Amino acid sequence: MLTYTNHFDTKTLDPFTLEKGFEAVRYEAASGEVGYYHLPISSQPLVEELKSLYHDIDRRFNTIAIIGIGGSSLGIKAIERLLRPSTPNAKKLIYLENSDPISIMQEMKQIDKFRTLFIVISKSGGTVETLSIFKRLVVSFELPLDHSDQIYVVSDENSILAHFADEHHLRRFVIPSNVGGRFSVLSAVGMVPLTLAGFDTAAILKGAQTFLEQFWNRQEEHMLQKAAYYVTQSDQYPMNVLFAYSDTFEEFGKWVVQIWGESLGKRNRRGERVGLTPISLIGSVDQHSFLQLIIEGPLNKTVTFMHIEHSEDHLMIPELSLHYLEKSDFVNGKSFNELINAQCHATMQSVLQSGVSVDEIAWKQIDEASVGELILYYELLTSLSGALLEINTYDQPGVEIGKKILETQF
Amino acid sequence: MLTYTNHFDTKTLDPFTLEKGFEAVRYEAASGEVGYYHLPISSQPLVEELKSLYHDIDRRFNTIAIIGIGGSSLGIKAIERLLRPSTPNAKKLIYLENSDPISIMQEMKQIDKFRTLFIVISKSGGTVETLSIFKRLVVSFELPLDHSDQIYVVSDENSILAHFADEHHLRRFVIPSNVGGRFSVLSAVGMVPLTLAGFDTAAILKGAQTFLEQFWNRQEEHMLQKAAYYVTQSDQYPMNVLFAYSDTFEEFGKWVVQIWGESLGKRNRRGERVGLTPISLIGSVDQHSFLQLIIEGPLNKTVTFMHIEHSEDHLMIPELSLHYLEKSDFVNGKSFNELINAQCHATMQSVLQSGVSVDEIAWKQIDEASVGELILYYELLTSLSGALLEINTYDQPGVEIGKKILETQF
C-alpha cells in the first residue's frame, strides 16, 4: 500500500470539478467504453492459464524475447525493473523495440534460438518496427512458423497479426478491443511475458484491484484533487515532474511519460491544443542535474516526489572516518536507504520552500501489490485529467500523419 | 563533421542579439574566466600521459569502476555509449553514482577487486554519494589506501579529496578550477577513465577543437541564431526537445539535460526566474510515446531532430512477405538504418506541419571527432544562451539549500 500526500493547496478546488472527473471515469468504466478498469479482474483467468503453461516453458526456455514497442514494451520493462531485485530467478527478458540497427544487432547477439521464447506484441498488428524485426528474426534464426511452439502472439482479436498467427497455428492471446495500447500492461500484453518469466502477476493484479475498489468507494479523494489541480492550473504549470528516488523507477518513469503525454496532449472539443508535459527524473542523480532548474527557474512545473521507506536496509555506510574527508562523516553508520530517503525529504523541502507545488507518493517497500497499485493510480489519474480537459484520452490522431508520410518515402 | 539546419524563421532575429552572444562567450574564453573553451587543447598532454600508462593498466585491469555522480559521470557514460559499438574491446566501465542501495549492490557484485581500477571523481571533493560509496568499497573489498595503485582520484587542485589522495600517495588528476562540473567531460574527468579504458580520446579532442575553431572563425552562425531564437522565444517555447534517432544517444541526452537545465535555470540580474526546460527523447521509440503531445498539445516546445546517415547499413529487413502482414512489405529489402532515417524525416515533416519550430543535426556516422564536436556544440550553445538570458551560466546556487537541509536530518 502506498501513501499519497498533496502538499499543494486543495482548498480552492471546486468540488464540482472533482465530481465531474469521478463521474466521467465511472461512466467510462460502467458503460464498457474503456476497458482497462476491468483488467485487474478479467486478467485473472489468463494468469491462471499461463501458470499452467509455466512448467513446460520453464523446462524449455531460459529467455523470453519481446518484440514490441511503445505500449507493447514500456509497461513490461517498468514492472520487470521494479521487481527484478526481489525476483532474481525470473527468466531473462530481451526487448526488441526500436528500429535502431545497433540495438537490434546487440540484442540478437544475446539470443540462443533453442532456449528463447519469442513473443510478438502489437495491438494493431501493423507496427512497422515490430513486423520488420520479427521478419529479421525469422530469417536470421531460421525460425519455422507453422505450428511453432516458440512463437507467441499478443494482439487485437481481428488484427492482421491475429490472422497470421491463426494461419500458422501459433499460440495467440487477445488484447480486449476497448483497451488502448498504453493502458494495456495488465492485459495479455504484460501478463503473458511476465507470468511466463516467473513474476508473480497474480499479486500485481490483486494490488491493482484493491486500489481500484478503494477508488470507487471514494477512499482515494487525493487523486480527484490532484487531477483537478493539475488541469485547472495547467496554464501556469504546463509540466509535471515525477522525481522518483530509486534507479529502479527509470523504466516506470518512461511508462508514465507515455501514458500521460500521449493521452493528454490533444485538441479538445473546441479544437484548442491542450495537454500537460510529463518529465521523469531519478533521485538522487538528478539533484545533480535538473534540480537547479526546478528551484530557481520559471515556476512552470509541479513535482511529485516518490520514495521507498525500506529498500535493502542492510547496506550500510561504514563507520569509517578518513582524514580530510570528515565532511561526509555525518552519514557514517547510516544505511544507504536512510541516506537516499533523507535526500528525498531534504530536496522536497527545498523545492517546497522555493514555491513549487508538490505532492508525494511513499512506498513501504517494493512489492507486487504496490506495483499494481501504482499502475492503476497513474491510469486513473490520466483518465480523470483527460475527462477534465474534455479530450479523448484514448486516441492518438497526431501520430498518424507521420506514418502516412513514412510510406511515401520508399 | 555534423550538419546543422535551422528550419525555424531566422529572419526576424536581431543581428545585435547574435553579436551580443558571440562577444560574451569570446570574452569568457579570452579572459580565462571560463575554462572549458581551452580543454580541447589543454587536455592533449594529459591524454598523452595517460596513453603512456595504458600498457601497465591494460595488463593488470579489465574493469574501471567510476565513483562519481552528475558532472562526474554523465559525460563519461554519454561518450562510452556512443563509441562502445565501434570500440567493443574497450575495458568494462562500471558506474557507482546514485545513493540507491539496490544499484550499489548490483554494481558491487560485478566487481572483481583484483582486476578493477577505481577512479574517484568529484570536483568539489565533498559529494556525499561519492564519498559514502567510496568508503563502502574500501571496507567491502578491503582496499589498502596507502600507495595504492588501483585507486585514482580526479578533483579540484585544493579539494579535500585532493588532500586525501596526497596523504595516501594516490595518483591524482586535476580538474582546472575554472571548469565547472557539467562542462568538465573533456578534462581529466572524462579523459582519465575513457583513455585508460581504451577509447580514442585524442580524436575526440581533435573533433572538439576543429569545431571550436570554426565557431571562433564565424563559420557556425547557425548556433548564434539558435541560441537567440531559443532565448527570445522562451516565454512562448519554454521547453526544448532533443529527439535523437538511435538508442545510443540515451546517455548523451541525459548529459544535455544536465548542462542545459542546470546552467540555464536561474535567477537573472533582476532576480527574475528564467530558464529553458530540456527534454530528451529517443526515436523511433518515443514516436510511440511523446510525439502525440508535440503534434497536438500546446505549442510550447521547440524540437531538435538528430539522426545518423550511416549506421550498421548492412542489417537488412528481409525480402520476406508474410501472408496477412503484407502491410509492412513497403520496407522489405531496405536496411534498418534506412527505416529509422525515414522515420526521422517523416516525423520531422509532420512536426513541422503542425507548426512547431524545428532544427536538425545530421551525423554522417558515429565517430570520435563527431562526438567531440557535439559536446562542444552543446557547451557553446549553453554558454550563448546563458549570456543572452543574462545569468551566471556556471553556478548552481539553487541546490545548496537542499544540501544544508540534508545535514540537519542526521
Side-chain angles (χ1 to χ4, degrees):
Chain A
M1 271 214 6
L2 311 181
T3 309
Y4 307 87
T5 314
N6 293 331
H7 295 281
F8 50 79
D9 181 15
T10 57
K11 282 182 224 116
T12 57
L13 293 171
D14 178 5
F16 175 77
T17 306
L18 275 60
E19 289 310 312
K20 182 181 162 188
F22 184 78
E23 286 307 322
V25 302
R26 186 154 72 177
Y27 175 80
E28 288 177 1
S31 68
E33 264 180 32
V34 178
Y36 82 82
Y37 301 103
H38 308 291
L39 293 175
I41 286 177
S42 67
S43 285
Q44 285 174 17
L46 170 65
V47 166
E48 289 308 310
E49 179 196 339
L50 290 161
K51 280 186 184 169
S52 72
L53 296 175
Y54 181 77
H55 266 291
D56 270 1
I57 297 290
D58 193 44
R59 210 164 33 205
R60 179 142 180 230
F61 303 115
N62 61 16
T63 302
I64 295 176
I66 292 153
I67 303 110
I69 192 169
S72 300
S73 67
L74 287 170
I76 311 168
K77 287 173 102 169
I79 294 176
E80 185 201 359
R81 181 75 186 268
L82 282 165
L83 295 178
R84 174 67 69 179
S86 59
T87 323
N89 295 325
K91 280 181 206 30
K92 183 174 180 178
L93 295 176
I94 289 178
Y95 299 89
L96 288 141
E97 305 175 88
N98 202 348
S99 40
D100 179 1
I102 299 170
S103 304
I104 297 169
M105 284 181 56
Q106 278 173 348
E107 300 306 320
M108 278 173 61
K109 276 183 199 154
Q110 294 191 58
I111 291 176
D112 171 356
K113 70 173 260 193
F114 299 106
R115 301 282 282 151
T116 299
L117 173 67
F118 297 90
I119 304 182
V120 187
I121 309 177
S122 169
K123 180 163 169 64
S124 70
T127 314
V128 67
E129 294 93 337
T130 303
L131 296 182
S132 300
I133 292 171
F134 177 58
K135 290 198 270 192
R136 182 69 262 163
L137 297 174
V138 167
V139 171
S140 290
F141 294 112
E142 299 176 335
L143 300 176
L145 293 176
D146 285 326
H147 296 276
S148 169
D149 58 357
Q150 76 173 137
I151 302 173
Y152 287 8
V153 164
V154 180
S155 188
D156 265 354
E157 178 63 48
N158 285 308
S159 77
I160 53 173
L161 189 60
H163 295 319
F164 165 81
D166 290 346
E167 178 158 281
H168 293 285
H169 306 281
L170 304 176
R171 194 181 284 270
R172 175 164 74 78
F173 299 90
V174 174
I175 309 169
S177 59
N178 59 357
V179 174
R182 57 186 173 275
F183 288 86
S184 70
V185 63
L186 298 183
S187 76
V189 168
M191 295 300 102
V192 174
L194 290 165
T195 310
L196 296 179
F199 290 95
D200 185 357
T201 49
I204 297 172
L205 292 177
K206 195 152 179 246
Q209 178 59 20
T210 303
F211 184 74
L212 191 59
E213 278 165 19
Q214 286 162 203
F215 175 77
W216 293 135
N217 292 335
R218 303 300 294 259
Q219 294 164 293
E220 306 289 350
E221 298 296 283
H222 57 91
M223 295 190 66
L224 306 180
Q225 293 171 350
K226 184 165 159 180
Y229 186 80
Y230 275 23
V231 169
T232 54
Q233 308 279 322
S234 61
D235 285 341
Q236 193 177 349
Y237 307 126
M239 294 174 249
N240 310 113
V241 176
L242 173 60
F243 211 148
Y245 276 69
S246 168
D247 294 324
T248 56
F249 286 120
E250 178 142 12
E251 281 72 25
F252 187 82
K254 292 184 182 175
W255 177 83
V256 169
V257 165
Q258 187 204 25
I259 202 164
W260 194 249
E262 196 169 41
S263 297
L264 302 183
K266 295 282 161 67
R267 289 186 184 273
N268 67 12
R269 288 175 193 167
R270 291 174 296 283
E272 299 154 349
R273 292 163 167 270
V274 299
L276 289 157
T277 297
I279 292 171
S280 164
L281 301 181
I282 296 294
S284 66
V285 172
D286 287 322
Q287 293 182 193
H288 302 262
S289 165
F290 200 97
L291 178 60
Q292 165 68 34
L293 174 64
I294 294 174
I295 295 209
E296 293 210 320
L299 283 174
N300 53 14
K301 302 171 185 72
T302 62
V303 184
T304 300
F305 283 91
M306 190 154 72
H307 56 92
I308 312 162
E309 212 173 303
H310 297 289
S311 170
E312 305 285 0
D313 291 317
H314 54 93
L315 189 75
M316 308 301 289
I317 301 164
E319 288 277 11
L320 176 66
S321 187
L322 297 169
H323 189 204
Y324 290 116
L325 303 182
E326 297 87 352
K327 188 183 166 185
S328 74
D329 286 355
F330 71 103
V331 292
N332 278 5
K334 306 292 171 189
S335 68
F336 280 97
N337 180 58
E338 286 173 280
L339 171 58
I340 198 168
N341 271 292
Q343 289 180 297
C344 178
H345 290 295
T347 303
M348 191 169 80
Q349 278 192 43
S350 70
V351 169
L352 273 166
Q353 281 179 22
S354 74
V356 174
S357 293
V358 165
D359 71 286
E360 183 182 357
I361 302 176
W363 297 58
K364 276 231 177 313
Q365 71 280 324
I366 297 184
D367 57 25
E368 288 78 4
S370 305
V371 171
E373 173 173 342
L374 192 68
I375 288 168
L376 247 287
Y377 171 85
Y378 269 102
E379 290 179 337
L380 290 169
L381 192 68
T382 304
S383 292
L384 289 166
S385 304
L388 296 180
L389 285 167
E390 301 188 344
I391 56 172
N392 181 342
T393 308
Y394 307 100
D395 64 356
Q396 53 282 336
V399 302
E400 297 306 319
I401 313 150
K403 289 184 191 171
K404 290 209 178 78
I405 298 173
L406 179 66
E407 292 184 24
T408 67
Q409 303 215 337
F410 291 97
Chain B
M1 273 213 9
L2 312 181
T3 309
Y4 307 87
T5 313
N6 292 331
H7 295 281
F8 50 78
D9 182 15
T10 57
K11 281 181 225 116
T12 57
L13 293 172
D14 177 5
F16 174 76
T17 305
L18 275 61
E19 289 310 313
K20 181 180 161 188
F22 184 79
E23 286 307 323
V25 302
R26 188 155 69 177
Y27 174 79
E28 287 177 1
S31 68
E33 265 181 30
V34 178
Y36 81 82
Y37 302 102
H38 307 291
L39 293 174
I41 286 177
S42 66
S43 286
Q44 286 173 17
L46 171 65
V47 165
E48 290 309 309
E49 178 196 341
L50 290 162
K51 280 184 185 170
S52 72
L53 296 175
Y54 182 77
H55 266 290
D56 269 359
I57 297 289
D58 193 43
R59 212 165 30 206
R60 177 139 183 230
F61 303 115
N62 62 15
T63 302
I64 296 175
I66 292 152
I67 303 111
I69 192 168
S72 300
S73 68
L74 287 169
I76 311 168
K77 286 173 102 169
I79 293 176
E80 185 201 359
R81 181 74 186 268
L82 282 164
L83 295 178
R84 175 66 70 179
S86 59
T87 322
N89 296 324
K91 282 183 206 23
K92 183 172 179 178
L93 295 177
I94 289 178
Y95 299 89
L96 288 142
E97 305 174 90
N98 202 347
S99 40
D100 180 1
I102 299 170
S103 304
I104 297 170
M105 285 182 56
Q106 280 173 348
E107 299 307 319
M108 278 175 61
K109 276 184 200 154
Q110 294 191 59
I111 291 176
D112 171 356
K113 70 173 259 192
F114 300 105
R115 300 282 283 151
T116 300
L117 173 67
F118 297 89
I119 305 181
V120 187
I121 309 177
S122 170
K123 180 165 168 62
S124 71
T127 314
V128 66
E129 294 93 336
T130 303
L131 295 183
S132 301
I133 292 171
F134 176 60
K135 291 198 268 191
R136 182 70 261 163
L137 297 174
V138 168
V139 172
S140 291
F141 294 113
E142 298 175 337
L143 300 176
L145 292 175
D146 284 327
H147 296 276
S148 170
D149 58 357
Q150 75 174 138
I151 302 173
Y152 288 8
V153 164
V154 180
S155 188
D156 265 353
E157 177 63 50
N158 285 307
S159 77
I160 52 172
L161 189 59
H163 296 317
F164 166 80
D166 290 346
E167 177 158 280
H168 293 285
H169 306 280
L170 305 176
R171 195 181 282 271
R172 177 164 74 79
F173 299 90
V174 174
I175 310 169
S177 60
N178 58 356
V179 173
R182 57 188 174 273
F183 288 86
S184 70
V185 63
L186 298 184
S187 76
V189 168
M191 295 301 103
V192 174
L194 290 164
T195 310
L196 296 180
F199 290 95
D200 185 357
T201 47
I204 297 172
L205 292 178
K206 194 152 181 245
Q209 178 57 20
T210 303
F211 184 74
L212 190 59
E213 279 165 18
Q214 286 162 203
F215 175 77
W216 294 135
N217 292 334
R218 303 300 295 258
Q219 292 165 295
E220 307 288 351
E221 299 296 283
H222 57 90
M223 293 188 69
L224 307 181
Q225 292 170 351
K226 185 165 158 180
Y229 186 81
Y230 275 24
V231 169
T232 54
Q233 308 279 322
S234 62
D235 286 340
Q236 194 178 349
Y237 308 127
M239 293 174 251
N240 310 114
V241 176
L242 172 60
F243 211 147
Y245 276 70
S246 169
D247 294 324
T248 56
F249 286 119
E250 179 142 9
E251 280 73 24
F252 187 81
K254 291 183 184 176
W255 178 83
V256 170
V257 166
Q258 189 204 23
I259 202 165
W260 194 250
E262 197 168 41
S263 298
L264 303 182
K266 294 281 162 69
R267 288 184 185 273
N268 67 12
R269 289 175 194 168
R270 291 174 297 284
E272 300 155 348
R273 292 163 166 271
V274 299
L276 289 157
T277 297
I279 292 171
S280 164
L281 301 180
I282 296 294
S284 67
V285 172
D286 287 323
Q287 292 182 194
H288 302 263
S289 166
F290 200 97
L291 178 60
Q292 164 68 33
L293 174 64
I294 295 174
I295 295 209
E296 293 211 319
L299 283 174
N300 53 14
K301 301 171 186 73
T302 62
V303 184
T304 300
F305 283 91
M306 189 154 74
H307 56 91
I308 311 162
E309 213 173 302
H310 297 289
S311 169
E312 306 285 0
D313 292 317
H314 53 94
L315 189 75
M316 308 301 289
I317 300 164
E319 288 278 12
L320 176 66
S321 187
L322 296 169
H323 189 205
Y324 290 115
L325 303 182
E326 297 87 351
K327 187 183 168 186
S328 74
D329 286 355
F330 71 102
V331 292
N332 278 6
K334 306 293 171 189
S335 69
F336 280 96
N337 180 58
E338 286 173 282
L339 171 58
I340 198 169
N341 271 293
Q343 289 180 298
C344 179
H345 290 295
T347 303
M348 192 170 79
Q349 277 193 43
S350 69
V351 168
L352 274 166
Q353 280 179 21
S354 73
V356 173
S357 293
V358 165
D359 72 286
E360 184 182 355
I361 302 175
W363 296 57
K364 277 230 177 313
Q365 71 280 323
I366 297 182
D367 57 24
E368 288 78 5
S370 306
V371 171
E373 173 172 342
L374 192 68
I375 288 167
L376 247 287
Y377 171 84
Y378 269 101
E379 291 179 337
L380 289 169
L381 192 69
T382 304
S383 292
L384 289 165
S385 304
L388 296 179
L389 285 167
E390 301 187 344
I391 56 172
N392 181 343
T393 307
Y394 307 100
D395 65 355
Q396 52 281 336
V399 303
E400 297 306 319
I401 312 151
K403 288 183 192 173
K404 291 210 180 78
I405 298 174
L406 178 67
E407 292 183 25
T408 67
Q409 303 216 337
F410 291 97

